[in-house]
């Protein structure tokens, strides 16, 4: 999870988030090169007195400073499009989870199983345990098995919400009367936190998301106990 002194992304838990981090690093490397080059050129122009009053045009240099940005834009656009298509790809999900945003809590439904529906409220500060995080822990966690493709459907009961877990690389808007879908594939067990990322009213900051990634046997036991 994120901490106060973190300058980069959270550790990736899904292949999608790994691709997003790689794309970020790739783009930042190109932007750093451009920034350094521009700063060097500005300093060179301001610190020397060399001028050429007879220079009217230079077709070669104009061709270079047209082609070079084009090549840089292509090197950014290609991995960007690849990641964009990966975000939208859902290949035969085995589990479908539906998240419904309310003011100000989340409710969940496991569409593949009967009668598994619950509300998820933020735990109050006086009821959290020592190993839990204030403003991030909920009374009912989402249970998802790792290494298994899952699908999440997000909608809203009242206003626009946004179901977000940064370590999974997921951010899906929940709009009233509309269902948006996304893919969940966790690579390891653990507890992962998120929050509503769309300002939805007075208690927008108090509707966290807690997802617990477990093995398939534990998930099956949880399903049986929930029925």
């Amino acid at each position: 999870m994120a901490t106060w002194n973190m300058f980069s992304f959270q550790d990736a838990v899904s292949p999608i988030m790994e691709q997003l981090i790689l794309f970020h690093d790739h783009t930042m490397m190109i932007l750093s090169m451009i920034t350094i080059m521009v700063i060097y050129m500005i300093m060179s122009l301001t610190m020397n007195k060399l001028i050429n009053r007879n220079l009217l045009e230079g077709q070669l240099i104009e061709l270079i400073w047209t082609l070079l940005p084009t090549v840089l834009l292509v090197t950014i656009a290609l991995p960007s499009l690849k990641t964009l298509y990966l975000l939208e790809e859902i290949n035969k999900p085995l589990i479908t989870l539906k998240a419904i945003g309310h003011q100000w809590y989340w409710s969940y439904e496991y569409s593949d199983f009967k009668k598994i529906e619950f509300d998820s409220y933020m735990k109050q500060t006086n009821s959290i345990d020592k190993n839990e995080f204030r403003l991030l822990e909920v009374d009912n966690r989402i249970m998802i098995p790792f290494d298994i493709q899952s699908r999440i459907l997000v909608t809203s009961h009242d206003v626009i919400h946004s179901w977000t877990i940064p370590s999974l690389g997921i951010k899906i808007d929940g709009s009233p009367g509309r269902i948006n879908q996304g893919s969940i594939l966790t690579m390891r067990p653990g507890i992962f936190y998120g929050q509503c990322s769309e300002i939805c009213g007075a208690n927008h900051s108090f509707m966290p998301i807690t997802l617990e990634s477990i093995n398939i046997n534990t998930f099956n036991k949880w399903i049986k106990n929930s029925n």
Side-chain angles (χ1 to χ4, degrees):
M1 62 170 291
T3 57
W4 66 272
N5 61 346
M6 183 178 290
F7 291 99
S8 186
F9 294 99
Q10 299 181 29
D11 293 338
V13 185
S14 67
I16 293 297
M17 190 59 190
E18 286 184 345
Q19 291 296 321
L20 289 173
I21 293 176
L22 289 174
F23 174 68
H24 169 268
D25 295 342
H26 170 75
T27 306
M28 287 302 297
M29 179 184 67
I30 295 176
L31 293 178
S32 299
M33 292 169 54
I34 294 173
T35 303
I36 292 172
M37 184 176 66
V38 170
I39 292 175
Y40 170 76
M41 293 175 66
I42 292 175
M43 293 180 64
S44 297
L45 290 172
T46 56
M47 295 180 67
N48 69 69
K49 299 180 180 179
L50 300 177
I51 59 172
N52 188 346
R53 292 180 296 176
N54 298 320
L55 181 62
L56 299 177
E57 65 174 345
Q59 294 183 357
L60 179 61
I61 190 64
E62 289 177 1
L63 179 65
I64 292 174
W65 72 40
T66 301
L67 291 179
L68 186 58
T70 303
V71 173
L72 291 177
L73 288 176
V74 170
T75 59
I76 294 175
L78 291 180
S80 174
L81 292 173
K82 173 188 173 183
T83 306
L84 182 63
Y85 280 106
L86 286 175
L87 285 170
E88 300 296 329
E89 183 180 3
I90 301 177
N91 186 20
K92 297 180 180 179
L94 297 180
I95 297 172
T96 297
L97 172 68
K98 185 176 181 182
I100 305 171
H102 303 264
Q103 289 182 314
W104 288 270
Y105 65 96
W106 295 97
S107 61
Y108 298 99
E109 301 174 6
Y110 285 81
S111 305
D112 303 308
F113 309 97
K114 294 181 179 180
K115 299 181 181 179
I116 301 185
E117 303 175 1
F118 55 87
D119 297 331
S120 181
Y121 288 87
M122 184 191 74
K123 275 190 175 182
Q124 299 298 320
T125 303
N126 55 7
S127 62
I128 61 175
D129 298 329
K130 291 183 178 179
N131 60 340
E132 295 177 340
F133 298 99
R134 189 177 72 90
L135 303 181
L136 289 176
E137 194 59 56
V138 297
D139 54 359
N140 291 309
R141 295 174 176 172
I142 313 165
M143 299 294 180
I144 292 292
F146 61 87
D147 284 339
I148 289 181
Q149 184 80 39
S150 304
R151 176 177 61 172
I152 180 166
L153 307 175
V154 182
T155 186
S156 173
H157 184 264
D158 36 50
V159 299
I160 298 177
H161 300 276
S162 186
W163 198 89
T164 307
I165 298 183
S167 57
L168 295 180
I170 295 179
K171 184 180 185 294
I172 306 173
D173 288 340
S175 304
R178 180 185 176 91
I179 296 178
N180 296 320
Q181 69 174 356
S183 175
I184 298 177
L185 178 59
T186 57
M187 299 183 297
R188 57 182 172 85
I191 301 173
F192 312 109
Y193 298 97
Q195 290 175 305
C196 176
S197 298
E198 186 74 34
I199 297 176
C200 55
N203 291 332
H204 157 70
S205 301
F206 304 106
M207 49 183 302
I209 302 161
T210 304
L211 184 146
E212 186 170 352
S213 178
I214 55 181
N215 63 56
I216 188 63
N217 295 326
T218 306
F219 178 76
N220 290 333
K221 292 178 181 177
W222 179 79
I223 291 294
K224 292 179 181 179
N225 294 331
S226 300
N227 282 326

